[in-house]
Amino acid sequence: MDPMDIVGKSKEDASLPKATMTKIIKEMLPPDVRVARDAQDLLIECCVEFINLVSSESNDVCNKEDKRTIAPEHVLKALQVLGFGEYIEEVYAAYEQHKYETMQDTHKSVKWNSGAQMSEEEAAAEQQRMFAEARARMNGGVPVPQPEEQHPETDQRSLQS
């Protein structure tokens, strides 16, 4: 592959994070196996080349279908065309897992964003509850009594008595 084949960018511009790749490499091997730095760099370069190859073929599949956006189906078809058909089932399972985790993250963010629909009093009460939980965790699970909140009405009544 020519260094300028990657959409007008030099080969050096396309890379993967070394720390992440090193972690993945170490996780895939038994703990007693060490990998030389040169071998790690070579594996990372192989991953970049593989991604470029699959991306290019996925783009070709997409173009043949007169589509403008590469879809997961295009990637799976590209793997088949490139001779990696034996991995399609595993890749599809990883894709489904990714979709599930993304959906879970979306539900969590919706839950947090729904706080904007709370009244000010509800938000203050929720904040106090969360503070109490945090204090309890910081004190080894022992709840710490909070000083009572002072309300203007009760302050006025106590002054009038």
Side-chain angles (χ1 to χ4, degrees), residues 45-91:
E45 285 302 313
C46 289
C47 290
V48 170
E49 287 300 320
F50 180 74
I51 291 168
N52 288 332
L53 179 65
V54 174
S55 298
S56 178
E57 188 61 39
S58 299
N59 187 48
D60 291 347
V61 170
C62 180
N63 287 335
K64 288 176 187 171
E65 294 181 10
D66 291 326
K67 303 284 184 184
R68 295 177 48 108
T69 303
I70 297 173
E73 302 79 39
H74 299 135
V75 176
L76 296 173
K77 177 68 175 168
L79 288 171
Q80 184 69 44
V81 169
L82 292 169
F84 296 105
E86 64 195 67
Y87 298 104
I88 290 176
E89 190 173 315
E90 190 174 342
V91 168

Side-chain angles (χ1 to χ4, degrees), residues 28-144:
M28 299 304 297
L29 298 172
D32 60 331
V33 175
R34 294 176 35 160
V35 181
R37 177 101 30 220
D38 291 349
Q40 287 179 7
D41 292 343
L42 181 59
L43 281 167
I44 293 169
E45 285 302 313
C46 289
C47 290
V48 170
E49 287 300 320
F50 180 74
I51 291 168
N52 288 332
L53 179 65
V54 174
S55 298
S56 178
E57 188 61 39
S58 299
N59 187 48
D60 291 347
V61 170
C62 180
N63 287 335
K64 288 176 187 171
E65 294 181 10
D66 291 326
K67 303 284 184 184
R68 295 177 48 108
T69 303
I70 297 173
E73 302 79 39
H74 299 135
V75 176
L76 296 173
K77 177 68 175 168
L79 288 171
Q80 184 69 44
V81 169
L82 292 169
F84 296 105
E86 64 195 67
Y87 298 104
I88 290 176
E89 190 173 315
E90 190 174 342
V91 168
Y92 187 75
Y95 168 63
E96 288 295 319
Q97 179 68 28
H98 170 75
K99 278 192 339 187
Y100 174 76
E101 290 170 1
T102 302
M103 193 170 24
Q104 295 302 316
D105 291 345
T106 302
H107 288 306
K108 286 178 187 174
S109 68
V110 166
K111 182 179 175 182
W112 281 104
N113 290 337
S114 67
Q117 298 170 355
M118 288 184 194
S119 70
E120 191 173 327
E121 293 81 21
E122 291 171 327
E126 179 67 10
Q127 182 181 34
Q128 290 304 318
R129 184 191 65 74
M130 291 178 1
F131 283 153
E133 286 178 3
R135 276 191 295 278
R137 282 194 305 272
M138 292 296 291
N139 293 312
V142 179
V144 176

